[in-house]
Amino acid sequence: MKAVFYPGCTLSTAAGYKESIEQVNRVLQVELPEVDDWSCCGATAYFSLDELVALVLPARNIAIAERDGYDWIVTPCNACYATLRKAKAILADNEDLRQKAKQALEEEGLSYRGKPFIRHLLDFYLLPEVFEKVKENVVKPLTGLRVAPYYGCQYSRPQVGDETDDAENPVNLDRLLEALGAEVVDYSAKTACCGAAQMVAHEDGCLRLVNRIVKAAQQKGADAIVAICPLCQFNVETAQKKLGYNIPVVFFTQLMGLAFGIPHVNLGMKKLLIPADTVLAKI
Amino acid sequence: MEAKGLLKELLELPGGDQILKCIQCGTCTGSCPMSDVMDYGPRRLFALIKDGSIKEALRSNTYWVCASCYFCTVRCPRGIKITDVMYALKELSVKQGFYPAGEPTVKMYQAFRETVEEYGRLSEAKMMQKFGMKAPLDVIKKAPLGIKLFFKKRIETKVEPIKNLDAFKRVIQKARQLERAS
Ligand code: SF4
Ligand code: SF4
């Protein structure tokens, strides 16, 4: 298996996600080079505006990955993950759209075949051979830390035939966090919606959504909410300021890093808006 | 365009014809996290369309407010890909100019598109700048916290366009050409 990393546009502004991924990969000794000259996947905006362009944007990145001999595309963002998978499925299914997408990509000398697997970074770490290494490298188990895994929507939905987890009750992040020694709380909002980009245009409605997520986590005594997507993390963290909560929202790779014994500053945890001091104090 | 023509166009869009299978059970609206911000929930929206009131449906904010959470889609007992129908409605709305009055999401998506087509990637800072120029002032004023924080802490000051920007633009242009031709 040759894997390539598709970071997506929001990774660089996410609070410490990028840094912690780099640190974790270094410890695990996994190579994940970036897709050469990757471009935006289009996310939900393009499906709303032009159908063919919406398919061509993800297809361009898939085509570059296959040109360079990769058979796995790994992404740390739920929206990229859903968009790439969905486009791949539609293009596999619809001959007419596929021909047109191919024709458009020829403008850049790319040929689209649509072979690579699209995987979320979380699932990459859960591959048996990688997961073994994850477990071996836990030197500071997160014993006593109560965490609420937050999957958001687009990790387990939509289902297009290649999903790795249940649509409404996913467990993969739970498994990873347990392997780090953390205590995973079961709460009702693990796949509830944070409002995604609607936070910009419809803040009031989205604040109610985040309220539901944070309240549920708090009721179960969670010390932290654990995110697997830059936009989810941003919404759930920043909205708490308006809602009057103060529960740290950390990336799963930051917890992996802590369990691997990496100092929190190297994991970008100072960039968190809600300081993770309570989390750090517990481990 | 008349209601009949609009309906025909919707049914021809990818996934658009699926609404005909709807049995009005209400599972979608009951599952929808955005329903209290919507003019109508998805069930009512589909009822309007099937009843020939597609113009009224298109003037509602429902399909623009959809956050693409896919809850309705995984739960609909008729297997309707409701989220995709919402996308089809957005496309139709843009093509035919039937916007709900004052709905800011339309402008947000346009700002997103312009940014991506200028740089090959999204820069949130650039997008917000463009959105700020398009959106009514009260929207900008009303959602200040998240956005201000965003500018303060995590703004990316420099946008690096992708290397092959020219070829990227040709690809998009070609896709648009092909879409129009079909
Ligand atoms: S869940 Fe499906 S069948 Fe039921 S009202 Fe919604 S669209 Fe119609
Ligand atoms: S995908 Fe859209 S319409 Fe369906 S439940 Fe989610 S927000 Fe509501």
Side-chain angles (χ1 to χ4, degrees):
Chain A
M1 187 251 299
K2 258 187 87 187
V4 70
F5 190 60
Y6 178 76
C9 302
T10 50
L11 181 68
S12 55
T13 43
Y17 201 11
K18 191 170 191 231
E19 294 90 322
S20 57
I21 293 170
E22 282 164 4
Q23 293 289 332
V24 163
N25 288 351
R26 193 181 44 78
V27 171
L28 297 175
Q29 292 177 305
V30 295
E31 291 271 348
L32 273 182
E34 281 189 7
V35 173
D36 179 42
D37 203 33
W38 59 271
S39 48
C40 175
C41 74
T44 48
Y46 269 90
F47 275 112
S48 317
L49 298 173
D50 331 65
E51 147 111 318
L52 193 59
V53 186
L55 294 169
V56 164
L57 286 173
R60 176 182 182 269
N61 295 295
I62 297 175
I64 293 175
E66 29 192 8
R67 178 197 67 196
D68 296 344
Y70 294 105
D71 45 18
W72 271 56
I73 300 173
V74 177
T75 178
C77 165
N78 285 7
C80 297
Y81 175 61
T83 306
L84 291 167
R85 285 168 61 235
K86 196 172 149 183
K88 187 184 147 184
I90 293 173
L91 290 172
D93 217 47
N94 187 319
E95 169 76 29
D96 176 50
L97 288 171
R98 184 166 69 245
Q99 289 316 328
K100 285 181 182 153
K102 282 183 160 196
Q103 210 183 324
L105 287 169
E106 272 163 20
E107 293 288 322
E108 201 181 336
L110 293 168
S111 73
Y112 177 86
R113 279 171 301 151
K115 292 275 178 272
F117 280 110
I118 317 288
R119 282 294 169 248
H120 194 288
L121 181 65
L122 167 64
D123 290 327
F124 176 76
Y125 292 135
L126 287 171
L127 280 172
E129 63 274 25
V130 186
F131 197 35
E132 268 320 300
K133 285 202 265 182
V134 170
K135 287 189 266 190
E136 277 165 25
N137 280 291
V138 174
V139 292
K140 259 179 106 179
L142 309 179
T143 319
L145 187 70
R146 287 174 67 80
V147 291
Y150 177 61
Y151 294 81
C153 300
Q154 299 196 345
Y155 170 69
S156 59
R157 296 185 299 275
Q159 304 239 309
V160 296
D162 63 348
E163 38 282 334
T164 58
D165 218 333
D166 186 82
E168 301 209 30
N169 187 27
V171 294
N172 285 345
L173 180 57
D174 299 39
R175 278 173 52 212
L176 184 89
L177 295 171
E178 275 160 12
L180 304 178
E183 190 185 331
V184 175
V185 305
D186 199 9
Y187 70 125
S188 62
K190 67 191 207 178
T191 65
C193 181
C194 72
Q198 294 293 1
M199 190 62 93
V200 178
H202 294 278
E203 193 186 38
D204 292 351
C206 294
L207 286 177
R208 286 195 287 276
L209 300 184
V210 174
N211 187 58
R212 185 181 156 213
I213 297 163
V214 180
K215 193 169 159 195
Q218 192 186 46
Q219 277 169 351
K220 292 295 177 91
D223 299 310
I225 296 169
V226 187
I228 61 170
C229 165
L231 187 56
C232 294
Q233 193 278 344
F234 182 78
N235 276 359
V236 177
E237 189 185 52
T238 52
Q240 286 191 54
K241 289 280 170 192
K242 276 203 168 171
L243 294 165
Y245 294 101
N246 212 19
I247 303 185
V249 186
V250 300
F251 287 106
F252 75 109
T253 43
Q254 290 175 321
L255 290 187
M256 288 173 81
L258 292 178
F260 294 170
I262 300 167
H264 70 97
V265 278
N266 299 353
L267 300 166
M269 295 186 79
K270 282 235 164 93
K271 289 190 184 173
L272 294 168
L273 198 64
I274 301 175
D277 301 353
T278 45
V279 173
L280 299 171
K282 276 213 167 185
I283 52 179
Chain B
M1 193 182 264
E2 281 315 299
K4 265 203 178 127
L6 286 170
L7 183 61
K8 189 167 164 272
E9 252 201 67
L10 174 66
L11 297 182
E12 279 167 4
L13 280 171
D17 60 343
Q18 295 192 52
I19 55 157
L20 300 175
K21 296 195 291 181
C22 172
I23 53 168
Q24 291 289 300
C25 69
T27 305
C28 48
T29 301
S31 308
C32 179
M34 298 303 286
S35 62
D36 60 347
V37 188
M38 290 173 172
D39 292 334
Y40 320 107
R43 182 201 62 81
R44 179 89 197 280
L45 188 79
F46 290 2
L48 281 170
I49 295 171
K50 283 174 75 178
D51 289 350
S53 308
I54 187 165
K55 284 190 177 172
E56 204 178 335
L58 282 174
R59 282 197 198 98
S60 77
N61 71 355
T62 301
Y63 56 103
W64 282 109
V65 173
C66 167
S68 302
C69 76
Y70 292 92
F71 261 123
C72 53
T73 299
V74 297
R75 288 180 181 170
C76 171
R78 298 287 285 156
I80 301 175
K81 292 184 175 141
I82 301 165
T83 318
D84 291 349
V85 178
M86 297 295 175
Y87 286 129
L89 284 165
K90 284 179 242 194
E91 254 192 271
L92 186 64
S93 156
V94 173
K95 274 193 192 134
Q96 299 296 341
F98 266 97
Y99 302 115
E103 172 52 46
T105 316
V106 191
K107 301 208 165 60
M108 180 178 75
Y109 281 153
Q110 284 164 343
F112 184 109
R113 176 166 67 176
E114 281 170 25
T115 311
V116 168
E117 287 174 26
E118 207 173 313
Y119 300 99
R121 285 180 195 163
L122 178 73
S123 139
E124 290 104 335
K126 284 276 178 235
M127 180 183 114
M128 291 313 302
Q129 228 171 43
K130 286 182 194 287
F131 178 64
M133 275 155 34
K134 292 171 194 290
L137 202 65
D138 71 304
V139 175
I140 305 297
K141 272 201 218 126
K142 245 180 80 197
L145 185 85
I147 291 161
K148 270 189 201 151
L149 288 169
F150 195 70
F151 278 99
K152 207 173 89 199
K153 286 199 66 164
R154 301 186 192 149
I155 190 167
E156 235 194 322
T157 41
K158 215 168 83 223
V159 196
E160 278 291 344
I162 62 170
K163 284 184 293 180
N164 260 335
L165 190 59
D166 289 340
F168 173 82
K169 285 183 178 169
R170 283 202 307 276
V171 169
I172 293 193
Q173 222 172 36
K174 184 77 187 178
R176 243 182 221 129
Q177 226 175 52
L178 290 167
E179 185 153 8
R180 269 198 299 270
S182 63

